[in-house]
Amino acid sequence: MEKTLTIAAKGRPREFCVDKALAAALGVFWSKGYEGASMSDLTEAMGITKPSLYAAFGNKEALFHKALELYESEKLEYMREALRQPTARAVAERLMRGAIDAQMSSCDPKGCLGVISATACGAEAESIKADVMQRRASSQAALVERFEQAKRDGDLPGHVDIDGLTSYLYAIVQGMAVQAGSGATRADLERIVDTSLLMWPAL
């Protein structure tokens, strides 16, 4: 259900849809990064004034954290789908191909919001980087556990370094996000996935 908020303004109260405004803010952060997104960029995209933004979401930093939550819940569903795949190799393939679908979406900016915002600098951006890193660590831990289970089930060779394999996959996904943001085509990214799967540890 969409949430609406009424903000008292000069003249008469103004009502706007919080969910739509947050989705618009996500688009700005995703395309410009945390530091590149100005308050005027955000208010223009969200269709609200600065006072309304502060009243509904707090400051820019708090708005980004809420936008990151929306990004994870809506745009990273493929990661949760990957963990449900029946084999470790299928997990890896779904993760990488799901990342391509997200990065090459015609209705979203290119690249990955986490990768873009993890490079933010400055005192204010420290909590942004910390949030991105904490969420990434949580996702990686879930993937490590899934691969550990695969090793216990005999689906991965016993000699495989699970932490190293997981870090390798994340490096591939993050690298594809950077390339997508730099103009790489879907075919370019699919080639990376195909090559990576050729190097998957065999039983």
Side-chain angles (χ1 to χ4, degrees), residues 80-92 94 146:
R80 293 180 283 276
E81 290 178 1
L83 293 172
R84 296 193 289 266
Q85 298 305 304
T87 67
R89 189 181 188 282
V91 169
R94 181 71 190 97
R146 177 63 184 84

Side-chain angles (χ1 to χ4, degrees), residues 51-177:
S52 294
L53 186 154
Y54 290 131
F57 301 102
N59 57 17
K60 177 185 174 183
E61 184 180 341
L63 175 62
F64 178 85
H65 289 300
K66 291 182 175 67
L68 187 58
E69 289 178 4
L70 178 63
Y71 175 78
E72 283 208 334
S73 66
E74 289 191 354
K75 309 301 182 181
L76 300 186
E77 173 59 26
Y78 70 87
M79 299 187 71
R80 293 180 283 276
E81 290 178 1
L83 293 172
R84 296 193 289 266
Q85 298 305 304
T87 67
R89 189 181 188 282
V91 169
E93 181 167 10
R94 181 71 190 97
L95 179 69
M96 291 188 286
R97 298 203 189 280
I100 291 177
D101 289 340
Q103 293 159 5
M104 303 304 293
S105 169
S106 61
C107 58
D108 290 319
K110 306 299 183 186
C112 170
L113 178 63
V115 171
I116 293 169
S117 299
T119 58
C121 58
E124 185 187 37
E126 284 305 310
S127 72
I128 299 301
K129 289 194 288 186
D131 192 7
V132 169
M133 291 173 65
Q134 187 276 327
R135 291 171 186 272
R136 183 181 302 156
S138 177
S139 296
Q140 286 193 229
L143 193 57
V144 165
E145 174 52 35
R146 177 63 184 84
F147 287 154
E148 290 286 6
Q149 182 61 53
K151 183 187 280 191
R152 292 191 292 269
D153 293 342
D155 183 39
L156 278 174
H159 68 271
V160 170
D161 175 0
I162 298 300
D163 287 331
L165 182 62
T166 302
S167 295
Y168 166 76
L169 278 175
Y170 266 79
I172 294 295
V173 170
Q174 291 166 3
M176 289 194 303

Side-chain angles (χ1 to χ4, degrees), residues 184-199:
T185 66
R186 175 178 285 272
D188 294 332
L189 302 184
E190 292 282 1
R191 192 176 301 114
I192 292 172
V193 173
D194 292 341
T195 302
S196 299
L197 291 172
L198 287 175
M199 295 186 285

